[in-house]
Amino acid sequence: MQVDAIPLALRYKIQYPDEFINAIKRGEILATKCKNCGATYFPPQRDCYNCGKNEMDWVKIDNEGELMTYSIVFQKPQGFENYDNYVIGIVKTKDNISLMVWIKGEPKVGTKVRLTTDGIRLIGEVIK
Amino acid sequence: MGKRVAIIGVGNSRFGKRDDVSIQELAWESIKEALNDSGLSQKDIGLVVVGSTAYRGVELYPAPIVAEYSGLTGKVPLRVEAMCATGLAAALTAYTAVSSGLVDVAMAIGVDKMTEVDTSTSLAIGGRGGNYQWEYHFYGTTFPTYYALYATRHMAVYGTTEEQMALVAVKAHKYGSMNPKAHFQKPVTVEEVLKSRVISWPIKLLDSCPISDGSATAIFASEEKVKELKIENPVWITGVGYANDYAYVAKRGEWTGFKATQLAAKQAYEMAKITPNDVEVATVHDAFTIAEIMGYEDLGFTEKGKGGKFIEEGQSERGGKVGVNLFGGLKAKGHPLGATGLSMIYEITKQLRDEAGNLQHPLKKYIGLVHNVGGTGHFAYVMILRR
């Protein structure tokens, strides 16, 4: 006989760097760069695994890139059910940093995109 | 280099939606079969590793429960997890225990009961199979999305088509329908695959493996023990390889193959002193159809970019250059995460012993390969098996 088991509700709180979230609100995308060895990190890191130091600068990411690949999400997961189908893409900038973004406009591999934000997340706008 | 290690017993439960059993009962199905297959009993096993992702079942810590139910209490100090590669992660752990000389006989049990939670929750858990903080939270990734990113790029760079991907599903369902333990028992056509509901374009429902319940078990023994027990049909593990890759998928730099697989394969081939051309039968991790096409390339069965042609030409069929996923693959046999890698060992062991019945691939060198990917290339394991 199948019975309902006791549900497990997981409620989480997580931490993001203030600099990163505030920049998104301004339409900017920030990475971290090690003051000592110059290694750049996206996702941003507080600690440099390259040289072991932990003094970082926040640096702006180049706002133009190439759409490397994408997928159109039809079946949406929890927390995203109320969105229309959205396009998740990977964009590589001229500085060779690659980012996950939502793509606005007609997606095509190899197309140029402008990196911005919608105040909440990173957006890649297809340049016509 | 450690001691030589052989597989001396294997078991595989029926895969599918198994409302009829608890996780411990499901595990016992394959444990019992493996014990019978080896001729051993619980007291002969020195160490047991349970591979289970567990997140989708009510028992979040299944190892002691499985141990108790199966008469293995006292021998099970750990559970291992490597997402979808959990099964081979457990196998590697058991292998190393024997290879190092810690024990003479070790067992790896892979089990997951994934259908205890509803599908929507299951998808949400799968969608976190990357990096929650920097991916899912902002972008609502699903697990198919990650594979779809690879499919789109493979199509753009190498001209791989949705029809070629559909052929992987057709092959899987054909063999799955001949395997009574497979989740799906019905063949499908290319047209049915192409017309199935889009999940995360270009991946459609029939490009995707099902959410399954199942278990698989393998028993590993040292060469001395094989002789002492007079095991007639040992299957030797002659090469092992393992690797991982960035969690944040954008950081990987290329999206047409899995670097983790390439590294694991190189390591395993070198240890086994063989080349990809020596492999006659294989399981290739086909969670989605594009995964099998990339697997042909990453494992060196064909050149980079030619994976679509490889399936089109029938080279991965039974009797082809390399018989791939002849028990139905993840795609049709099913993909109970913890069990999958050990089910792959079960399958190749059966093939190398000429015990695969109507799914037997013709063998000359008796060299097989198992390939298990965790996440979307987050982990990869390769093992070379020989009779």
Side-chain angles (χ1 to χ4, degrees):
Chain A
M1 187 194 302
Q2 267 199 306
V3 301
D4 285 333
I6 295 168
L8 175 64
L10 301 166
R11 293 185 189 84
Y12 302 96
K13 291 232 186 294
I14 60 169
Q15 189 62 238
Y16 286 91
D18 294 347
E19 293 88 342
F20 184 82
I21 299 297
N22 289 336
I24 283 191
K25 288 178 186 161
R26 294 194 304 269
E28 290 175 4
I29 307 166
L30 300 183
T32 54
K33 187 171 182 180
C34 177
K35 287 183 193 222
N36 182 53
C37 74
T40 304
Y41 291 93
F42 195 94
Q45 296 201 180
R46 278 180 180 159
D47 303 288
C48 179
Y49 59 65
N50 187 46
C51 72
K53 297 286 198 311
N54 62 354
E55 288 189 37
M56 295 282 192
D57 285 321
W58 287 96
V59 293
K60 267 199 226 179
I61 286 179
D62 208 24
N63 70 350
E64 207 177 291
E66 179 184 342
L67 180 57
M68 305 306 291
T69 188
Y70 66 93
S71 174
I72 309 162
V73 181
F74 282 68
Q75 177 150 351
K76 280 143 296 209
Q78 285 175 6
F80 292 83
E81 300 94 335
N82 298 329
Y83 286 91
D84 291 334
N85 294 349
Y86 46 84
V87 181
I88 295 177
I90 295 175
V91 173
K92 189 186 268 189
T93 69
K94 279 183 281 187
D95 300 339
N96 209 27
I97 294 174
S98 294
L99 313 155
M100 183 175 280
V101 299
W102 272 8
I103 295 293
K104 302 289 178 198
E106 187 74 22
K108 191 167 180 270
V109 172
T111 197
K112 292 274 173 281
V113 298
R114 187 176 298 110
L115 287 166
T116 177
T117 79
D118 61 4
I120 297 167
R121 61 181 66 77
L122 314 187
I123 299 292
E125 290 172 349
V126 174
I127 298 169
K128 283 177 192 160
Chain B
M1 193 68 69
K3 293 186 181 188
R4 284 185 86 204
V5 178
I7 295 156
I8 61 165
V10 287
N12 200 121
S13 80
R14 183 167 61 77
F15 283 5
K17 189 162 165 46
R18 296 293 308 274
D19 295 340
D20 56 317
V21 285
S22 65
I23 191 167
Q24 57 268 39
E25 291 165 344
L26 187 59
W28 175 244
E29 288 183 20
S30 68
I31 296 167
K32 184 181 171 187
E33 187 185 351
L35 286 171
N36 288 344
D37 187 41
S38 67
L40 301 186
S41 67
Q42 288 92 330
K43 66 174 173 15
D44 302 310
I45 314 288
L47 175 80
V48 182
V49 184
V50 172
S52 185
T53 64
Y55 308 125
R56 292 168 175 88
V58 288
E59 299 293 2
L60 295 183
Y61 309 103
I65 298 159
V66 166
E68 178 180 326
Y69 192 85
S70 307
L72 290 163
T73 298
K75 307 283 182 67
V76 192
L78 78 166
R79 159 184 146 214
V80 302
E81 181 277 324
M83 297 194 238
C84 327
T86 292
L88 272 200
L92 182 72
T93 310
Y95 164 88
T96 51
V98 176
S99 179
S100 68
L102 180 68
V103 295
D104 294 319
V105 183
M107 174 186 273
I109 304 164
V111 62
D112 260 310
K113 207 147 173 284
M114 299 176 68
T115 69
E116 284 179 352
V117 81
D118 59 89
T119 303
S120 148
T121 307
S122 192
L123 287 174
I125 293 168
R128 294 167 191 231
N131 179 329
Y132 173 86
Q133 188 186 15
W134 300 102
E135 294 180 331
Y136 186 100
H137 187 81
F138 296 107
Y139 308 105
T141 44
T142 67
F143 201 66
T145 306
Y146 284 104
Y147 271 97
L149 292 170
Y150 279 81
T152 303
R153 180 93 187 146
H154 208 278
M155 288 163 72
V157 174
Y158 298 114
T160 302
T161 64
E162 290 179 69
E163 286 78 7
Q164 288 171 330
M165 289 189 254
L167 285 171
V168 174
V170 171
K171 174 171 76 69
H173 279 254
K174 178 175 72 181
Y175 295 127
S177 73
M178 296 159 72
N179 174 7
K181 289 181 173 177
H183 191 148
F184 291 139
Q185 294 289 328
K186 278 201 308 201
V188 295
T189 64
V190 168
E191 198 179 28
E192 283 168 336
V193 178
L194 294 177
K195 280 189 174 164
S196 63
R197 181 162 61 87
V198 178
I199 302 293
S200 193
W201 187 89
I203 286 178
K204 294 163 286 293
L205 183 67
L206 288 176
D207 286 303
S208 318
C209 65
I211 298 168
S212 311
D213 306 323
S215 82
T217 296
I219 299 172
F220 304 83
S222 63
E223 190 163 17
E224 300 93 301
K225 203 74 189 173
V226 167
K227 283 180 187 153
E228 184 192 317
L229 295 168
K230 298 189 172 60
I231 301 287
E232 287 172 5
N233 54 4
V235 167
W236 298 97
I237 298 172
T238 61
V240 297
Y242 49 85
N244 84 309
D245 203 350
Y246 294 118
Y248 183 72
V249 71
K251 209 168 173 175
R252 296 193 185 159
E254 185 46 77
W255 303 272
T256 56
F258 291 147
K259 188 156 185 215
T261 297
Q262 293 156 17
L263 292 170
K266 184 168 184 287
Q267 186 187 355
Y269 287 137
E270 281 176 9
M271 182 174 163
K273 298 187 176 67
I274 62 162
T275 73
N277 286 325
D278 295 315
V279 176
E280 295 174 299
V281 64
T283 62
V284 172
H285 192 92
D286 61 327
F288 297 90
T289 52
I290 184 63
E292 184 167 318
I293 288 175
M294 292 193 300
Y296 300 151
E297 300 170 7
D298 291 338
L299 295 165
F301 298 160
T302 188
E303 282 170 52
K304 183 81 186 161
K306 301 261 176 76
K309 275 266 176 298
F310 198 74
I311 178 82
E312 213 167 66
E313 293 169 359
Q315 304 219 49
S316 50
E317 296 279 349
R318 187 161 55 96
K321 185 188 173 203
V322 192
V324 175
N325 296 335
L326 302 182
F327 284 22
L330 283 60
K331 174 66 198 84
K333 185 171 68 180
H335 186 22
L337 308 183
T340 290
L342 285 154
S343 177
M344 291 172 160
I345 286 183
Y346 171 89
E347 173 173 342
I348 298 303
T349 299
K350 290 282 180 188
Q351 287 283 353
L352 294 178
R353 288 187 197 159
D354 283 321
E355 290 174 2
N358 61 349
L359 294 168
Q360 182 66 46
H361 183 73
L363 300 166
K364 291 196 187 84
K365 298 178 186 170
Y366 287 87
I367 300 178
L369 176 149
V370 297
H371 165 238
N372 197 189
V373 174
T376 331
H378 294 87
F379 305 100
Y381 293 85
V382 172
M383 282 191 186
I384 311 291
L385 273 47
R386 299 187 74 154
R387 195 169 85 181

